[in-house]
Amino acid sequence: MKSGTGGGLRADALSTYDTVVMAVAGCGPAYTVAGTIPALIAAVGVASPAALLYCAIPVIGIALAYRQLGRVDPNAGAAYSWVARSLHPFLGFLCGWSLVVACPVFMASSTVPAGNATLSLVAPSLLGDPVLAAVVGSGWFLLMAGVVAYGARIGARALTVITAAQLVLLIGFAVAALLSDGSGTAFSASWFGFSHFEGQDAFVTGALIATFAYWGWDVTSNLGEETRRGSRGSGFGGVIGVGMAFLLFALVAVAVNVLMTPDAVSNSPEGLLIALGQQVWPGVGGTLLVLALLLSTVAMLETALIQASRTLFAMGRDRTLLPVLGRIHAKRHTPWVATAVIAVASGTLAIVEAARLEPGESLLSDAVSGVGLQVTFYYSLAGLGAVVVHRKLLRTSVSNFFLMGLWPLVGALFMLWILIESVASLSPSALTIGFGTLALGLLPMFAAWLRQRPYFERGRLDAARARAMDDSFGGAESDETHVVNLARSRDELLTDF
């Protein structure tokens, strides 16, 4: 396969519409409904819509931070690059490393559900063998790896079809469930308030699970170098994607609480989609929603692979990891080496872990918590980095202060609080996944630092100076006063709505 070292990815491969699709697909609508919403309802009951709401607000703040940072520096490494240049290179490296290790853990834990969903549709008699499910799921994973290696554009087209099918099925069945006679609790607007949380610990647990539910929208920022309109198109889809994901997840959470009791959800979390489908359309509904689960899992495997491969590519390009990871395909302009490494590592981990499981066991619970810790870690640093980068523009207008400063800062502090508060309640396995794999990154980080890689000496990001050099913001003038005056008259986010 032809390749080159370093270089850039294919520019203009994706439109803003494509990035919105990527963001929604990255959140995995049906996958989240099947795996995360039951865990959320089991933890906080009818307070689940509130947990989704009060977590969506800070997550949108982080999405705004990503949006603004992507406009200053569209980079395949996203937080890996931005945090290094705004806070400290060590923190930036750990942001990149946390994503690189979180994605394979998530993909490995999702391979068995993908295999089980496939077997339940084509060969129900073979259900119950985790190794067989892992092998079948790995087949889907390898297919998605081929799609990602082929190019971002073909991946976006595939995700458009997959995501549309999920949304139609989930919204249709959720609305129908609300109109049916359920055995759960009658809906109340108080479900979106704080009154149903049984103390701070319950809120923290729910918030950590909800953070994982939204995770995946930030794939749009890793695609900044490949998004049409360069810096102006970078990260915009993430803001829209989080909002759409909240509306869908809240609708489903309300429907499930009306349809089923919290005890019923806790006793059979793996059967939630089937129960929802059978309630609405006996005999066929469960099969349709299992199909939605399969499509969602496959889509999330693709978006997670895109995130991890682009971040790993950026680290290879900067030579903070092996330079070979920075190779791109000469024709497709995709990071094929990084994609292959992530695919092999995730597939191997999935099969090895599946061989250790007893029938009925799952990696998903500890993976959700462990990956949630890593997500809150790099989200919080990116949010703080955005405030630092845009500090000179915060006083130029109310909208800049709110969208570039206050909201991202609230999101960052919320993520840090959840990270700290959740540690005491997690299992050793979840803590090992979350912090143990993160600590492994210290070895390559210090090795690269001792070799004095340029990554550790790059200049700091300056939003005012970067916008002065951006033709879309008024030409190539570099005078900072001009930029500040321009910021007063043109809001840098709202012009895209």
PDB file of all heavy atoms in Angstrom, residues 176-184 258-260 279:
ATOM      1  N   ALA A 176     -44.747   6.022  20.376  1.00  0.00           N
ATOM      2  CA  ALA A 176     -45.807   5.021  20.504  1.00  0.00           C
ATOM      3  C   ALA A 176     -45.871   4.472  21.921  1.00  0.00           C
ATOM      4  O   ALA A 176     -46.967   4.211  22.450  1.00  0.00           O
ATOM      5  CB  ALA A 176     -45.573   3.886  19.505  1.00  0.00           C
ATOM      6  N   ALA A 177     -44.705   4.311  22.572  1.00  0.00           N
ATOM      7  CA  ALA A 177     -44.688   3.819  23.948  1.00  0.00           C
ATOM      8  C   ALA A 177     -45.346   4.811  24.898  1.00  0.00           C
ATOM      9  O   ALA A 177     -46.059   4.424  25.835  1.00  0.00           O
ATOM     10  CB  ALA A 177     -43.251   3.553  24.386  1.00  0.00           C
ATOM     11  N   LEU A 178     -45.140   6.104  24.656  1.00  0.00           N
ATOM     12  CA  LEU A 178     -45.768   7.121  25.498  1.00  0.00           C
ATOM     13  C   LEU A 178     -47.288   7.094  25.368  1.00  0.00           C
ATOM     14  O   LEU A 178     -48.015   7.442  26.314  1.00  0.00           O
ATOM     15  CB  LEU A 178     -45.243   8.507  25.121  1.00  0.00           C
ATOM     16  CG  LEU A 178     -43.811   8.831  25.543  1.00  0.00           C
ATOM     17  CD1 LEU A 178     -43.370  10.163  24.956  1.00  0.00           C
ATOM     18  CD2 LEU A 178     -43.707   8.870  27.069  1.00  0.00           C
ATOM     19  N   LEU A 179     -47.763   6.687  24.220  1.00  0.00           N
ATOM     20  CA  LEU A 179     -49.210   6.662  23.977  1.00  0.00           C
ATOM     21  C   LEU A 179     -49.865   5.350  24.417  1.00  0.00           C
ATOM     22  O   LEU A 179     -51.081   5.234  24.400  1.00  0.00           O
ATOM     23  CB  LEU A 179     -49.489   6.886  22.486  1.00  0.00           C
ATOM     24  CG  LEU A 179     -49.004   8.232  21.916  1.00  0.00           C
ATOM     25  CD1 LEU A 179     -49.268   8.297  20.421  1.00  0.00           C
ATOM     26  CD2 LEU A 179     -49.676   9.392  22.635  1.00  0.00           C
ATOM     27  N   SER A 180     -49.041   4.361  24.808  1.00  0.00           N
ATOM     28  CA  SER A 180     -49.577   3.062  25.204  1.00  0.00           C
ATOM     29  C   SER A 180     -49.763   3.005  26.714  1.00  0.00           C
ATOM     30  O   SER A 180     -49.344   3.907  27.449  1.00  0.00           O
ATOM     31  CB  SER A 180     -48.639   1.944  24.746  1.00  0.00           C
ATOM     32  OG  SER A 180     -47.392   2.036  25.419  1.00  0.00           O
ATOM     33  N   ASP A 181     -50.367   1.928  27.189  1.00  0.00           N
ATOM     34  CA  ASP A 181     -50.575   1.728  28.619  1.00  0.00           C
ATOM     35  C   ASP A 181     -49.365   0.993  29.195  1.00  0.00           C
ATOM     36  O   ASP A 181     -49.160  -0.194  28.918  1.00  0.00           O
ATOM     37  CB  ASP A 181     -51.847   0.921  28.867  1.00  0.00           C
ATOM     38  CG  ASP A 181     -53.091   1.673  28.435  1.00  0.00           C
ATOM     39  OD1 ASP A 181     -53.081   2.910  28.543  1.00  0.00           O
ATOM     40  OD2 ASP A 181     -54.059   1.027  27.977  1.00  0.00           O
ATOM     41  N   GLY A 182     -48.586   1.690  29.990  1.00  0.00           N
ATOM     42  CA  GLY A 182     -47.395   1.090  30.576  1.00  0.00           C
ATOM     43  C   GLY A 182     -47.605   0.750  32.044  1.00  0.00           C
ATOM     44  O   GLY A 182     -48.585   1.140  32.668  1.00  0.00           O
ATOM     45  N   SER A 183     -46.640   0.031  32.611  1.00  0.00           N
ATOM     46  CA  SER A 183     -46.721  -0.367  34.016  1.00  0.00           C
ATOM     47  C   SER A 183     -45.791   0.462  34.887  1.00  0.00           C
ATOM     48  O   SER A 183     -45.601   0.161  36.052  1.00  0.00           O
ATOM     49  CB  SER A 183     -46.347  -1.853  34.148  1.00  0.00           C
ATOM     50  OG  SER A 183     -45.034  -2.075  33.652  1.00  0.00           O
ATOM     51  N   GLY A 184     -45.212   1.519  34.299  1.00  0.00           N
ATOM     52  CA  GLY A 184     -44.262   2.340  35.037  1.00  0.00           C
ATOM     53  C   GLY A 184     -44.935   3.461  35.794  1.00  0.00           C
ATOM     54  O   GLY A 184     -45.998   3.294  36.383  1.00  0.00           O
ATOM     55  N   VAL A 258     -42.152   5.540  31.793  1.00  0.00           N
ATOM     56  CA  VAL A 258     -43.608   5.370  31.730  1.00  0.00           C
ATOM     57  C   VAL A 258     -43.960   3.923  31.435  1.00  0.00           C
ATOM     58  O   VAL A 258     -44.927   3.376  31.974  1.00  0.00           O
ATOM     59  CB  VAL A 258     -44.198   6.307  30.644  1.00  0.00           C
ATOM     60  CG1 VAL A 258     -45.667   5.961  30.373  1.00  0.00           C
ATOM     61  CG2 VAL A 258     -44.059   7.754  31.066  1.00  0.00           C
ATOM     62  N   LEU A 259     -43.151   3.273  30.622  1.00  0.00           N
ATOM     63  CA  LEU A 259     -43.447   1.915  30.178  1.00  0.00           C
ATOM     64  C   LEU A 259     -43.104   0.868  31.223  1.00  0.00           C
ATOM     65  O   LEU A 259     -43.836  -0.106  31.417  1.00  0.00           O
ATOM     66  CB  LEU A 259     -42.666   1.618  28.895  1.00  0.00           C
ATOM     67  CG  LEU A 259     -42.891   0.267  28.226  1.00  0.00           C
ATOM     68  CD1 LEU A 259     -44.275   0.209  27.603  1.00  0.00           C
ATOM     69  CD2 LEU A 259     -41.819   0.008  27.176  1.00  0.00           C
ATOM     70  N   MET A 260     -41.974   1.052  31.941  1.00  0.00           N
ATOM     71  CA  MET A 260     -41.451   0.026  32.838  1.00  0.00           C
ATOM     72  C   MET A 260     -41.085   0.636  34.184  1.00  0.00           C
ATOM     73  O   MET A 260     -40.742   1.816  34.275  1.00  0.00           O
ATOM     74  CB  MET A 260     -40.206  -0.644  32.222  1.00  0.00           C
ATOM     75  CG  MET A 260     -40.433  -1.239  30.842  1.00  0.00           C
ATOM     76  SD  MET A 260     -38.875  -1.761  30.044  1.00  0.00           S
ATOM     77  CE  MET A 260     -38.358  -3.095  31.152  1.00  0.00           C
ATOM     78  N   GLN A 279     -43.808  -3.944  23.433  1.00  0.00           N
ATOM     79  CA  GLN A 279     -44.926  -3.186  23.981  1.00  0.00           C
ATOM     80  C   GLN A 279     -45.684  -2.448  22.870  1.00  0.00           C
ATOM     81  O   GLN A 279     -46.905  -2.351  22.887  1.00  0.00           O
ATOM     82  CB  GLN A 279     -44.412  -2.169  25.009  1.00  0.00           C
ATOM     83  CG  GLN A 279     -45.491  -1.292  25.633  1.00  0.00           C
ATOM     84  CD  GLN A 279     -46.255  -2.015  26.706  1.00  0.00           C
ATOM     85  OE1 GLN A 279     -45.824  -3.046  27.213  1.00  0.00           O
ATOM     86  NE2 GLN A 279     -47.424  -1.470  27.076  1.00  0.00           N
TER      87      GLN A 279
END
